[in-house]
Amino acid sequence: MAVEMFFTDADHQMSSLITIRLHKATRRYLIRLTGGSNYMDPSIGATCVEVLSNALSGFNGVVLFGGTRTIRIDDPSVILPTISEVPSNIKTADGLMFFGVIPRTSVMKYDQNVGLILETDFGSGLMTIVHPDQDVCLQVQRNVDDFAPWDAEWKECSRVVEAFTRDGNWNSLLIVYNGGETTLREARHWASRNWPILLIRGSGRAADQLIHELAGHPSTLVAENDADSVREVLTNLKAIKGEL
Amino acid sequence: MTPPTDVRDVGRTGRCDFDVITPEMNVPAAFTVKAMAARQRAAVRFAGGCKGMSPADKLDMAKFIMEAFRGYQGVATSGATSARKDGKAISRNDVAEVDLMVTDLAVLVDSDVALGTAPRTGQMYFAGFGLLNLDQYGTNPNLRMDHILIVEDSNADTTFDWDGDLDHYFRWMTMLHREAGFRLGLVVWNGGAVTLKEALEAARLGWQVIVITGTGRAADELATSAEYTAFRALDNVSYVGKSDPIALRAKLVKAGFLK
C-alpha cells in the first residue's frame, strides 16, 4: 500500500484534496479509533487489536486513527500492539479506507529501512514510525520549528467528522479502547457534540472511566470487550451492514 | 412551468453556509463535501450577465435554462449574488416578477447542490436585521445557495475587481475534475470582460463551454468576432441559440451532464 502523505500546520484549513480522497470509501461512515497506544499494556493491546479488527470485519467506510506504528529499536520487525494496529488487521473490504492523522511531536527523520521516524525513545527501546498501512496520512505541526501537541490528532479528526456529518450526511462513531488523558478529552468533545461514542467495557483506563462519567449520555453506548458484542453494536448502528 | 412546492428560503437544508476567504486560503473542505454529495459528478458554472435585456428577455432566459437542465443531478454554480424580492433571494415562484440575474440560474435549475463564489468588491454591510449587502450598491448574497464563498483581498481595507474569485473557483473545479472525475461545464449568457476571461480559461482547461448566442455582449462576441476564431475551433466549445432549449439539452446529454 502506498501511503499518500500530506502535511499541514495545526489549525490550518481542512483539506479539500483529502476530502475528495476519503470519498473513495464505499460506505459514508467514519469510524474513529482512539485509546491505548504506547502506554497500554501489550497484553491489553493484543486483545484490543483482536477484538476491534474482528468486529470491524467487512467495514467499508473510513477508519480514522493515529497513523503511527511503534516498533522495537533493536528489532524493527517487532511491532507493539496498539490501537493503531487495528486497521491493518481488519479483513479487507472494497471501499475500506484508512486515514491516519499524526501530530508532529519531534523532528522527523527518514530511514531507508523503516521509513519516516517520528520519535525515538531509547529509554523504552521503542521507535514510532509512519504506519505503512494507510491510504492517506496527514501530519500536523505548528510550523517547521514548533511541534504540535498530542491533542492535534483528535482535533483534526473532529474537524473531518464535523464537515462530513454536517455537510455530507456521513455517519460517524468514536470507538474508545483503554486510553489516557488525551482520550478523555477527545471523548468529552464528542459527547459535548452528541456524536455517537462506543466505549469498550473492561478495556481499562479512560474507556472504563468514561463508562461512569458518561452514564446516561444520549449518544454513548457500551459494548463488552469481545468482537461479537462490539459487532452487534456496529450492526445496530448500520456501520457494517444495512442501508444508511 | 409548474413551480415546485418545496421552495425554501435559505439553501436546501434551511441554511446557506457562508465563508469569507483570502487568496492564500483554499476553498473550505465543507464546500467540497457538499459537491461530493451530489448524485452526479458534474459541475456546471453559469457565467455572464443581463445587461441590455428586458424583463421579458430575462424571464425567457430562466425558462430556457430551467427546461434545458431538467433532471440535472450535479452541482450548479455561479457568482454568489441574487436579485431580491421582499428581502429574500428569488425562487422559481418569483421568476416572472423579478429583475433576474444570471447568478440566479444556479438556484433555479434542477441540481443536487448550488454553490456560489464572489469577490468582495466593496464594503459589506448589514442594511437591516439579517439583511447583508455585499457592496455599496446593495448587491445581495444568494441565500438560496447551499454555500457561498466571498473571496476578499488579504488586506481588509482593499477590494477586488469582479474577477477576484476566478482563480479560486477555477482551481477548485479543476481539482474536482482531476481528483474526483467531475465533468465540468461553463454556460455563457451575455456578459462582459470577466465573462470573456472565464470562457477562454474554461475552454483552455478543457471544460465543455456552451455559449448561448443571441444573448448579447460577450456571448455574441465569442460567436462572431474574428478575435475568437481559435476559440470557436476548439472541440470543447459549442454554440446554441437562446430560443432552443432542446438543442442545449441535447448538448448537455451528449457531454454527459444529463442522462
Side-chain angles (χ1 to χ4, degrees), chain B residues 91-123:
Chain B
S91 72
R92 292 179 179 181
N93 292 334
D94 309 317
V95 292
E97 305 164 30
V98 176
D99 204 18
L100 294 175
M101 299 166 64
V102 165
T103 50
D104 291 309
L105 295 174
V107 298
L108 296 177
V109 298
D110 288 345
S111 74
D112 273 16
V113 59
L115 303 172
T117 67
R120 186 172 71 78
T121 57
Q123 176 64 55

Side-chain angles (χ1 to χ4, degrees), chain A residues 14 19 23 28-32 64 157-174 189-190 193-196, chain B residues 13 15 17 29-30 33-34 37:
Chain A
M14 210 181 109
T19 295
H23 276 77
R28 293 292 183 259
Y29 222 111
L30 296 161
I31 291 186
R32 161 70 180 154
L64 285 118
C157 290
S158 293
R159 291 168 68 193
V160 174
V161 170
E162 172 86 46
F164 278 46
T165 56
R166 187 195 66 204
D167 297 300
N169 294 320
W170 282 56
N171 293 275
S172 67
L173 177 67
L174 176 73
H189 176 78
W190 276 65
R193 309 305 298 262
N194 283 327
W195 292 346
Chain B
T13 59
R15 53 188 275 169
D17 288 346
V33 170
K34 290 182 177 73

Side-chain angles (χ1 to χ4, degrees), chain B:
Chain B
M1 116 192 88
T2 306
T5 56
D6 60 342
V7 173
R8 293 182 174 87
D9 288 336
V10 184
R12 276 146 228 264
T13 59
R15 53 188 275 169
C16 170
D17 288 346
F18 178 82
D19 283 297
V20 180
I21 62 175
T22 53
E24 63 273 15
M25 295 167 71
N26 294 322
V27 167
F31 204 75
T32 303
V33 170
K34 290 182 177 73
M36 296 298 292
R39 283 172 289 174
Q40 187 183 2
R41 294 221 167 154
V44 174
R45 178 95 179 177
F46 295 94
C50 291
K51 210 169 185 177
M53 291 170 65
S54 68
D57 290 337
K58 292 174 189 178
L59 179 57
D60 287 340
M61 170 186 74
K63 288 178 178 177
F64 169 84
I65 295 289
M66 288 164 68
E67 174 55 30
F69 276 84
R70 191 168 30 85
Y72 176 59
Q73 297 179 341
V75 176
T77 173
S78 74
T81 55
S82 172
R84 197 171 266 178
K85 178 177 182 272
D86 299 328
K88 299 176 184 173
I90 66 144
S91 72
R92 292 179 179 181
N93 292 334
D94 309 317
V95 292
E97 305 164 30
V98 176
D99 204 18
L100 294 175
M101 299 166 64
V102 165
T103 50
D104 291 309
L105 295 174
V107 298
L108 296 177
V109 298
D110 288 345
S111 74
D112 273 16
V113 59
L115 303 172
T117 67
R120 186 172 71 78
T121 57
Q123 176 64 55
M124 295 197 285
Y125 67 97
F126 285 100
F129 183 75
L131 212 65
L132 174 68
N133 285 334
L134 299 179
D135 62 24
Q136 58 270 37
Y137 305 109
T139 304
N140 315 304
N142 194 333
L143 301 182
R144 289 191 193 276
M145 288 183 161
D146 298 290
H147 201 143
I148 60 179
L149 293 184
I150 304 298
V151 184
E152 71 166 8
D153 202 353
S154 300
N155 179 341
D157 293 321
T158 59
T159 55
F160 273 142
D161 289 331
W162 278 104
D163 61 355
D165 63 331
L166 297 198
D167 180 57
H168 272 81
Y169 96 67
F170 272 110
R171 280 194 291 122
W172 179 70
M173 287 178 73
T174 298
M175 182 169 62
L176 288 181
H177 170 70
R178 184 187 70 231
E179 303 294 339
F182 271 64
R183 293 178 198 283
L184 302 179
L186 183 82
V187 173
V188 180
W189 184 290
N190 186 288
V194 174
T195 306
L196 286 170
K197 236 173 148 175
E198 290 180 270
L200 294 173
E201 181 62 2
R204 185 187 73 81
L205 291 170
W207 298 18
Q208 287 296 319
V209 179
I210 305 174
V211 180
I212 313 301
T213 57
T215 58
R217 300 167 70 224
D220 289 344
E221 273 185 64
L222 290 167
T224 59
S225 168
E227 189 177 351
Y228 302 112
T229 305
F231 172 82
R232 287 193 290 277
L234 293 171
D235 289 339
N236 54 317
V237 172
S238 58
Y239 293 81
V240 171
K242 70 173 183 177
S243 302
D244 197 351
I246 295 173
L248 174 55
R249 195 171 171 78
K251 287 198 188 296
L252 293 170
V253 170
K254 187 177 176 189
F257 291 99
L258 293 172
K259 290 172 189 166

